[in-house]
């Protein structure tokens, strides 16, 4: 049975162009800064995002955590949106690695109210931790891939900067945001000080993320990457795929967005399931289960038996993610499976 894997865009397999580029990659020891392919990728990433420098890291999690470690000091507080990946899904890294505590601020579709961010910034008082960093996430995973409105990013960054606080963007899927808005990625990240973005999600590279920022920030981040065990050697074999991802895989994200929309429309027509279509902006669909017979884990298991893979993200919520290895025809097959399974009820 052919599996339709809607668990995440992380499951994408490298393209033939990537495999060829990996095979042919010129390499060197990147801890010495001597891998020409890694250097090219870093230069290209910095250029595309309109920042001074970039650092290749093995994972998005490491990129975010290196950024947080580099921006903050122990005992500080980090303002995050209450459902942020850095807070929910990074194994408590903010506490464990940076020695900081988290101040979660609830958002709407991932966007925090700038006034709420300002209210969360600590006053100068001997009892309080200092606010060391504000983190944003674009697109926002747990809201179903919503794009942060550019004016919201600018307003939150303005508040933070007015208080002398830097802003880090978890831009794991920032290219999805850029394609959805039809705006250059550099424009979306202009207000923030550092950005992490992933090559290994919708852009389909097998491994790798980049941390981007000022030259001084990246020089310090390079030390912290080494501290966290991320100093890789002949990493050009991985960076080569990343260069192909940036060159060939950005524009096609629009196909994933169209597939997600079709998937969401179909799901919304199935009795027992609901989708807030306003949140379907990129390559994710957050599905609410309204049929009282089903829980999310039971539905995920029943769909697996029909060849459709997805993840539960709450007791009655599942997440579907489209990507280059899911075709428009797969979307129709997945919708048939959903309709059949939900209607039949738990067996
Ligand atoms: N997200 C994964 C899981 O960890 C949930 C997924 O399947 O969506 N920032 C954001 C917004 C992410 O969604 C992810 C991965 C990361 C950071 C971490 O990237 P990796 O997996 O490369 O460490």
């Amino acid at each position: 049975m052919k599996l339709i894997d809607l668990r995440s865009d992380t499951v994408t397999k490298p393209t033939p162009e990537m495999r060829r580029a990996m095979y042919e990659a010129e390499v060197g020891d990147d801890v010495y800064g001597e891998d020409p392919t890694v250097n090219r990728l870093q230069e290209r990433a910095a250029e595309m995002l309109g920042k001074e420098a970039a650092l290749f890291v093995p994972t998005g999690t490491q990129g975010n955590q290196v950024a947080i470690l580099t921006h903050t000091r122990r005992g500080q507080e980090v303002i995050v949106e209450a459902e942020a990946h850095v807070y929910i899904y990074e194994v408590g890294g903010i506490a464990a690695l940076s020695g900081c505590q988290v101040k979660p601020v609830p958002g709407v579709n991932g966007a925090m109210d700038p006034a709420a961010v300002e209210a969360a910034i600590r006053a100068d008082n001997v009892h309080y931790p200092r606010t060391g960093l504000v983190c944003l996430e674009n697109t926002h995973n747990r809201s179903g891939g919503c794009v942060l409105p550019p004016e919201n990013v600018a307003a939150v960054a303005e508040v933070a900067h007015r208080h002398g606080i830097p802003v880090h963007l978890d831009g794991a899927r920032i290219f999805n945001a850029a394609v959805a808005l039809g705006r250059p990625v550099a424009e979306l990240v202009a207000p923030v000080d550092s950005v992490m973005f992933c090559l290994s999600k919708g852009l389909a590279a097998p491994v790798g993320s980049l941390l981007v920022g000022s030259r001084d920030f990246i020089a310090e981040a390079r030390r912290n990457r080494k501290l966290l065990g991320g100093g890789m050697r002949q990493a050009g074999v991985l960076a080569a795929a990343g260069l192909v991802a940036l060159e060939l895989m950005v524009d096609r994200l629009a196909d994933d967005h169209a597939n997600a929309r079709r998937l969401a429309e179909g799901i919304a027509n199935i009795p027992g399931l609901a989708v807030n279509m306003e949140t379907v902006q990129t390559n994710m669909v957050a599905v609410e289960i309204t049929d009282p017979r089903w829980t999310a884990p039971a539905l995920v298991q029943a769909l697996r038996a029909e060849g459709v893979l997805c993840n539960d993200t709450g007791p009655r919520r599942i997440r579907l993610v489209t990507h280059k290895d899911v075709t428009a025809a797969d979307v129709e097959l997945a919708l048939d499976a959903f309709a059949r399974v939900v209607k039949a009820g738990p067996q």
Side-chain angles (χ1 to χ4, degrees):
M1 178 171 42
K2 181 184 188 255
L3 292 177
I4 301 170
D5 196 343
L6 301 168
R7 287 174 301 173
S8 184
D9 45 12
T10 59
V11 303
T12 43
K13 303 273 170 57
T15 63
E17 292 86 348
M18 288 178 186
R19 288 182 184 273
R20 202 168 312 119
M22 293 171 80
Y23 180 76
E24 290 169 358
E26 241 190 292
V27 297
D29 190 328
D30 181 51
V31 172
Y32 295 106
E34 289 174 2
D35 188 300
T37 311
V38 170
N39 290 340
R40 265 204 296 139
L41 174 63
Q42 291 175 164
E43 281 157 26
R44 183 76 189 111
E47 180 185 49
M48 283 175 92
L49 272 76
K51 304 284 183 203
E52 285 175 3
L55 184 69
F56 187 49
V57 289
T59 65
T61 300
Q62 188 178 92
N64 281 331
Q65 295 301 326
V66 164
I68 295 165
L69 185 57
T70 307
H71 280 300
T72 60
R73 299 180 56 184
R74 296 182 71 74
Q76 288 188 333
E77 198 162 66
V78 178
I79 295 177
V80 300
E81 196 279 329
E83 300 242 31
H85 193 280
V86 290
Y87 175 43
I88 307 233
Y89 293 122
E90 298 192 8
V91 210
I94 296 179
L97 302 170
S98 295
C100 290
Q101 65 183 31
V102 165
K103 175 82 174 172
V105 172
V108 176
N109 292 340
M112 295 180 281
D113 179 350
V117 172
E118 184 145 34
I121 293 173
R122 296 288 189 159
D124 186 11
N125 180 314
V126 71
H127 300 89
Y128 293 163
R130 288 191 171 122
T131 303
L133 181 65
V134 174
C135 283
L136 304 178
E137 183 177 315
N138 196 11
T139 63
H140 186 265
N141 186 338
R142 280 194 57 88
S143 69
C146 287
V147 177
L148 293 187
E151 55 284 3
N152 176 262
V153 175
V156 171
E158 188 279 321
V159 164
H161 291 152
R162 186 152 36 79
H163 290 266
I165 300 165
V167 181
H168 171 68
L169 174 67
D170 174 350
R173 298 183 179 83
I174 192 64
F175 284 96
N176 292 84
V179 166
L181 291 171
R183 311 263 284 262
V185 73
E187 191 183 309
L188 303 191
V189 305
V192 305
D193 301 283
S194 59
V195 187
M196 182 285 293
F197 73 89
C198 294
L199 299 164
S200 59
K201 298 199 162 61
L203 300 182
V207 176
S209 293
L210 284 130
L211 179 59
V212 187
S214 72
R215 222 179 295 290
D216 287 351
F217 172 82
I218 292 298
E220 204 51 32
R222 176 176 280 278
R223 289 184 69 86
N224 285 329
R225 180 187 68 173
K226 194 76 178 76
L227 171 65
L228 300 188
M232 298 181 286
R233 302 295 177 172
Q234 286 72 42
V237 286
L238 303 175
L243 279 161
V244 174
L246 289 179
E247 200 179 323
L248 298 182
M249 304 303 282
V250 172
D251 293 343
R252 64 150 308 285
L253 292 173
D255 299 345
D256 300 343
H257 299 179
N259 282 338
R261 177 144 285 272
R262 168 70 197 122
L263 187 58
E265 284 163 356
I267 294 277
N269 281 328
I270 297 174
L273 301 177
V275 176
N276 176 356
M277 291 301 294
E278 260 176 48
T279 65
V280 186
Q281 301 174 7
T282 58
N283 68 330
M284 292 187 186
V285 184
V287 182
E288 300 293 339
I289 303 170
T290 53
D291 183 332
R293 298 173 302 165
W294 284 105
T295 62
L299 185 55
V300 166
Q301 209 185 338
L303 286 163
R304 179 177 273 270
E306 297 288 318
V308 176
L309 308 186
C310 54
N311 280 326
D312 52 307
T313 49
R316 308 187 62 75
R317 197 166 189 252
I318 60 180
R319 183 187 77 160
L320 311 177
V321 187
T322 55
H323 50 76
K324 75 132 177 94
D325 296 332
V326 172
T327 64
D330 292 337
V331 166
E332 300 307 323
L333 290 173
L335 284 171
D336 289 346
F338 264 95
R340 226 172 27 244
V341 167
V342 173
K343 188 171 179 203
Q347 301 300 301

CSV table of all heavy atoms in Angstrom, one decimal, residues 7-10 58-62 64 85 89-90 137 139 141 170 172-173 196 198 200-201 209 284 311 319, ligand 1:
chain,number,residue,atom,x,y,z
A,7,ARG,N,2.4,13.7,8.0
A,7,ARG,CA,2.8,14.0,9.4
A,7,ARG,C,3.6,15.3,9.5
A,7,ARG,O,3.4,16.0,10.4
A,7,ARG,CB,3.7,12.8,9.9
A,7,ARG,CG,2.9,11.6,10.2
A,7,ARG,CD,3.8,10.4,10.6
A,7,ARG,NE,4.7,10.1,9.5
A,7,ARG,CZ,5.8,9.3,9.6
A,7,ARG,NH1,6.0,8.7,10.8
A,7,ARG,NH2,6.6,9.1,8.6
A,8,SER,N,4.4,15.5,8.5
A,8,SER,CA,5.2,16.7,8.5
A,8,SER,C,5.9,16.9,7.2
A,8,SER,O,6.1,15.9,6.4
A,8,SER,CB,6.3,16.6,9.6
A,8,SER,OG,7.0,17.8,9.7
A,9,ASP,N,6.4,18.1,6.9
A,9,ASP,CA,7.2,18.4,5.7
A,9,ASP,C,8.6,18.0,6.0
A,9,ASP,O,9.5,18.0,5.1
A,9,ASP,CB,7.1,19.9,5.3
A,9,ASP,CG,7.2,20.8,6.4
A,9,ASP,OD1,7.6,20.4,7.5
A,9,ASP,OD2,6.9,22.0,6.2
A,10,THR,N,8.9,17.5,7.2
A,10,THR,CA,10.3,17.0,7.5
A,10,THR,C,10.5,15.7,6.8
A,10,THR,O,11.7,15.3,6.8
A,10,THR,CB,10.5,16.8,9.0
A,10,THR,OG1,9.5,15.9,9.5
A,10,THR,CG2,10.3,18.1,9.8
A,58,PRO,N,23.0,21.7,12.1
A,58,PRO,CA,22.4,20.5,11.7
A,58,PRO,C,20.9,20.5,11.8
A,58,PRO,O,20.2,19.8,11.0
A,58,PRO,CB,23.0,19.4,12.7
A,58,PRO,CG,23.7,20.1,13.7
A,58,PRO,CD,24.0,21.5,13.2
A,59,THR,N,20.3,21.2,12.8
A,59,THR,CA,18.9,21.1,13.0
A,59,THR,C,18.3,22.5,13.3
A,59,THR,O,19.0,23.4,13.8
A,59,THR,CB,18.5,20.2,14.2
A,59,THR,OG1,19.0,20.7,15.4
A,59,THR,CG2,19.0,18.8,14.0
A,60,GLY,N,17.0,22.6,13.1
A,60,GLY,CA,16.3,23.8,13.5
A,60,GLY,C,16.4,24.1,15.0
A,60,GLY,O,16.5,25.2,15.5
A,61,THR,N,16.2,23.0,15.8
A,61,THR,CA,16.3,23.1,17.2
A,61,THR,C,17.6,23.6,17.6
A,61,THR,O,17.7,24.6,18.5
A,61,THR,CB,16.0,21.7,17.8
A,61,THR,OG1,14.7,21.2,17.4
A,61,THR,CG2,16.1,21.7,19.4
A,62,GLN,N,18.7,23.1,17.1
A,62,GLN,CA,20.0,23.6,17.5
A,62,GLN,C,20.2,25.1,17.1
A,62,GLN,O,20.7,25.9,17.8
A,62,GLN,CB,21.2,22.8,16.9
A,62,GLN,CG,22.5,23.2,17.5
A,62,GLN,CD,23.7,22.4,17.0
A,62,GLN,OE1,24.3,22.8,16.0
A,62,GLN,NE2,24.0,21.3,17.6
A,64,ASN,N,17.8,27.4,16.8
A,64,ASN,CA,17.1,28.3,17.8
A,64,ASN,C,17.9,28.3,19.1
A,64,ASN,O,18.0,29.4,19.7
A,64,ASN,CB,15.7,27.7,18.0
A,64,ASN,CG,14.7,28.0,16.9
A,64,ASN,OD1,14.9,29.0,16.2
A,64,ASN,ND2,13.7,27.2,16.7
A,85,HIS,N,7.2,26.9,19.2
A,85,HIS,CA,8.0,25.7,19.1
A,85,HIS,C,9.2,25.7,20.1
A,85,HIS,O,9.5,24.7,20.8
A,85,HIS,CB,8.6,25.5,17.7
A,85,HIS,CG,9.2,24.1,17.4
A,85,HIS,ND1,10.4,23.8,17.8
A,85,HIS,CD2,8.6,23.0,16.8
A,85,HIS,CE1,10.7,22.5,17.4
A,85,HIS,NE2,9.6,22.1,16.8
A,89,TYR,N,8.4,22.4,22.1
A,89,TYR,CA,8.9,21.2,21.4
A,89,TYR,C,10.5,21.2,21.4
A,89,TYR,O,11.0,20.5,20.6
A,89,TYR,CB,8.5,21.2,19.9
A,89,TYR,CG,7.0,20.9,19.7
A,89,TYR,CD1,6.3,21.9,19.0
A,89,TYR,CD2,6.4,19.8,20.1
A,89,TYR,CE1,4.9,21.6,18.7
A,89,TYR,CE2,5.1,19.5,19.8
A,89,TYR,CZ,4.3,20.5,19.1
A,89,TYR,OH,3.0,20.2,18.8
A,90,GLU,N,11.1,22.0,22.2
A,90,GLU,CA,12.6,22.0,22.2
A,90,GLU,C,13.2,21.5,23.5
A,90,GLU,O,14.3,21.9,23.9
A,90,GLU,CB,13.2,23.3,21.7
A,90,GLU,CG,12.7,23.5,20.2
A,90,GLU,CD,13.3,24.6,19.4
A,90,GLU,OE1,14.3,25.2,19.9
A,90,GLU,OE2,12.8,24.9,18.3
A,137,GLU,N,7.8,33.3,15.8
A,137,GLU,CA,7.8,32.1,15.0
A,137,GLU,C,6.9,32.4,13.7
A,137,GLU,O,5.7,32.7,13.8
A,137,GLU,CB,7.2,31.0,15.8
A,137,GLU,CG,7.2,29.6,15.1
A,137,GLU,CD,6.7,28.5,16.0
A,137,GLU,OE1,7.1,28.4,17.2
A,137,GLU,OE2,5.9,27.7,15.5
A,139,THR,N,6.4,30.7,9.7
A,139,THR,CA,5.0,30.5,10.0
A,139,THR,C,4.9,29.8,11.4
A,139,THR,O,5.9,29.2,11.9
A,139,THR,CB,4.3,29.7,8.9
A,139,THR,OG1,4.8,28.3,8.9
A,139,THR,CG2,4.5,30.2,7.6
A,141,ASN,N,3.7,27.1,13.8
A,141,ASN,CA,3.4,25.7,13.7
A,141,ASN,C,2.1,25.4,14.3
A,141,ASN,O,1.1,24.9,13.7
A,141,ASN,CB,4.6,24.9,14.3
A,141,ASN,CG,4.4,23.4,14.1
A,141,ASN,OD1,3.3,22.9,13.9
A,141,ASN,ND2,5.5,22.7,14.1
A,170,ASP,N,12.1,32.3,14.9
A,170,ASP,CA,12.1,30.9,14.5
A,170,ASP,C,11.4,30.9,13.2
A,170,ASP,O,10.2,30.9,13.1
A,170,ASP,CB,11.4,30.1,15.5
A,170,ASP,CG,11.2,28.6,15.1
A,170,ASP,OD1,11.5,28.3,13.9
A,170,ASP,OD2,10.9,27.8,15.9
A,172,ALA,N,11.6,28.6,10.8
A,172,ALA,CA,11.7,27.3,10.3
A,172,ALA,C,11.1,27.2,8.9
A,172,ALA,O,11.6,26.6,7.9
A,172,ALA,CB,11.1,26.3,11.2
A,173,ARG,N,9.9,27.9,8.7
A,173,ARG,CA,9.2,27.9,7.5
A,173,ARG,C,9.0,29.3,6.9
A,173,ARG,O,7.9,29.6,6.4
A,173,ARG,CB,7.8,27.1,7.6
A,173,ARG,CG,7.9,25.7,8.1
A,173,ARG,CD,6.6,25.0,8.2
A,173,ARG,NE,6.8,23.6,8.5
A,173,ARG,CZ,7.0,23.1,9.8
A,173,ARG,NH1,6.9,24.0,10.8
A,173,ARG,NH2,7.2,21.9,10.1
A,196,MET,N,16.4,31.8,12.3
A,196,MET,CA,16.7,30.4,12.0
A,196,MET,C,15.7,30.0,10.9
A,196,MET,O,14.5,30.3,11.1
A,196,MET,CB,16.6,29.5,13.2
A,196,MET,CG,17.0,28.1,13.0
A,196,MET,SD,15.8,27.1,12.1
A,196,MET,CE,14.4,27.0,13.2
A,198,CYS,N,14.8,26.5,8.2
A,198,CYS,CA,15.2,25.1,7.9
A,198,CYS,C,15.2,24.8,6.4
A,198,CYS,O,14.3,25.3,5.7
A,198,CYS,CB,14.1,24.2,8.5
A,198,CYS,SG,14.1,24.3,10.3
A,200,SER,N,15.4,21.6,5.7
A,200,SER,CA,15.0,20.1,5.7
A,200,SER,C,13.5,20.0,5.9
A,200,SER,O,13.0,18.9,6.2
A,200,SER,CB,15.7,19.4,6.9
A,200,SER,OG,15.4,20.1,8.1
A,201,LYS,N,12.7,21.0,5.7
A,201,LYS,CA,11.2,20.9,5.8
A,201,LYS,C,10.7,21.0,4.3
A,201,LYS,O,11.0,20.1,3.5
A,201,LYS,CB,10.7,21.9,6.7
A,201,LYS,CG,11.2,21.7,8.2
A,201,LYS,CD,10.5,22.4,9.2
A,201,LYS,CE,10.8,21.8,10.6
A,201,LYS,NZ,12.2,21.9,11.0
A,209,SER,N,19.8,23.5,8.7
A,209,SER,CA,19.2,24.7,9.0
A,209,SER,C,20.2,25.8,9.0
A,209,SER,O,21.4,25.5,9.0
A,209,SER,CB,18.5,24.7,10.3
A,209,SER,OG,17.4,23.8,10.3
A,284,MET,N,-0.1,23.7,6.0
A,284,MET,CA,-0.7,22.9,7.1
A,284,MET,C,-2.2,23.1,7.2
A,284,MET,O,-2.7,24.1,6.9
A,284,MET,CB,-0.1,23.4,8.5
A,284,MET,CG,1.4,23.1,8.6
A,284,MET,SD,1.9,23.5,10.2
A,284,MET,CE,3.7,23.3,10.0
A,311,ASN,N,-0.3,13.3,12.4
A,311,ASN,CA,0.0,13.4,13.8
A,311,ASN,C,-1.2,14.1,14.6
A,311,ASN,O,-1.8,15.0,14.1
A,311,ASN,CB,1.2,14.3,14.0
A,311,ASN,CG,2.5,13.5,13.8
A,311,ASN,OD1,2.6,12.3,14.0
A,311,ASN,ND2,3.5,14.2,13.2
A,319,ARG,N,-3.0,17.3,12.9
A,319,ARG,CA,-2.3,18.2,12.0
A,319,ARG,C,-2.0,17.5,10.7
A,319,ARG,O,-1.4,16.4,10.7
A,319,ARG,CB,-1.0,18.7,12.6
A,319,ARG,CG,-0.3,19.8,11.8
A,319,ARG,CD,1.1,20.1,12.3
A,319,ARG,NE,2.1,19.1,12.1
A,319,ARG,CZ,3.4,19.3,12.2
A,319,ARG,NH1,3.9,20.4,12.5
A,319,ARG,NH2,4.2,18.3,11.9
B,1,LIG,N1,9.0,20.9,13.9
B,1,LIG,C1,8.6,19.5,13.7
B,1,LIG,C2,8.3,19.0,15.1
B,1,LIG,O1,9.4,19.3,16.0
B,1,LIG,C3,7.1,19.4,15.7
B,1,LIG,C4,7.4,19.4,12.8
B,1,LIG,O2,7.1,18.3,12.4
B,1,LIG,O3,6.8,20.4,12.5
B,1,LIG,N2,10.8,25.5,14.6
B,1,LIG,C5,9.6,25.1,14.1
B,1,LIG,C6,8.5,26.1,13.9
B,1,LIG,C7,9.4,23.8,13.8
B,1,LIG,O4,8.2,23.4,13.3
B,1,LIG,C8,10.5,22.8,14.0
B,1,LIG,C9,10.3,21.4,13.7
B,1,LIG,C10,11.7,23.3,14.5
B,1,LIG,C11,11.8,24.6,14.8
B,1,LIG,C12,12.8,22.4,14.8
B,1,LIG,O5,13.4,21.9,13.6
B,1,LIG,P1,14.3,20.5,13.7
B,1,LIG,O6,13.3,19.4,13.6
B,1,LIG,O7,15.2,20.6,12.5
B,1,LIG,O8,15.1,20.5,15.0
